[in-house]
Amino acid sequence: QVYLAKSFGADAILIILSAIEEKTAKEIYDVANRLDISTIVEVHTNEEARNALNFKDAIIGINNRNLKTLKTDIGTTYNLHKILLNHSGPLVCESGIKTENDVEEIVRKTKINNFLIGESLLNDLDKNSTLLKKISQIST
């Protein structure tokens, strides 16, 4: 699939560590690196975060949404950030961000300034334009 993604012009791929074995994740990561495709490695647990540190050049996404229960908890970012603190690449806080205050608190507590926000923005696009502007200001 990585070769297919490259043939379609993909710049990046997503590896969800909870979805595949560590050996397979490493093989996919190595192929992506050879093809000059960026990799986002997504984690949700302490074990996945520790494993993600082996992906030196990857972007690591901390998913606050438990994919088994679909519940979100911003505390996941705070907990996993402690493990990922020395990762040389970017960290992304994913899911569960609902307000401008959430963004400000995450940046203040972790220095993470990359976010994947979907559901809360789509719920009320007009109301959330302020959140979008704030994220833009923080990220620049």
Side-chain angles (χ1 to χ4, degrees):
Q1 290 179 355
V2 180
Y3 292 104
L4 184 61
K6 178 69 173 183
S7 74
F8 280 107
D11 294 317
I13 60 166
L14 174 65
I15 300 173
I16 303 173
L17 290 186
S18 67
I20 59 176
E21 293 180 10
E22 187 177 347
K23 180 182 176 197
T24 304
K26 182 69 173 135
E27 290 170 356
I28 293 169
Y29 174 76
D30 290 340
V31 170
N33 280 343
R34 283 196 306 272
L35 296 176
D36 197 30
I37 297 175
S38 296
T39 306
I40 303 167
V41 175
E42 185 177 279
V43 301
H44 180 73
T45 67
N46 290 345
E47 180 182 357
E48 291 168 2
R50 285 188 291 274
N51 290 342
L53 292 172
N54 294 317
F55 301 89
K56 304 274 186 227
D57 296 321
I59 298 164
I60 297 179
I62 302 171
N63 194 347
N64 294 307
R65 184 179 310 279
N66 181 326
L67 296 178
K68 293 179 178 132
T69 65
L70 299 181
K71 293 185 180 181
T72 58
D73 179 5
I74 295 292
T76 303
T77 288
Y78 301 130
N79 293 333
L80 298 187
H81 176 260
K82 295 171 190 170
I83 296 169
L84 300 169
L85 195 57
N86 294 321
H87 178 63
S88 60
L91 299 177
V92 179
C93 177
E94 304 174 349
S95 299
I97 300 123
K98 294 181 174 50
T99 68
E100 182 179 327
N101 289 339
D102 289 343
V103 171
E104 290 172 344
E105 181 177 313
I106 291 164
V107 172
R108 188 177 69 255
K109 289 183 176 180
T110 68
K111 304 294 187 247
I112 293 173
N113 62 3
N114 303 294
F115 300 89
L116 184 141
I117 303 171
E119 181 181 352
S120 63
L121 293 177
L122 293 175
N123 285 336
D124 189 343
L125 290 174
D126 291 331
K127 178 180 148 196
N128 286 308
S129 64
T130 303
L131 177 58
L132 287 171
K133 289 176 188 170
K134 184 65 173 183
I135 292 168
S136 177
Q137 292 168 352
I138 291 171
S139 297
T140 55

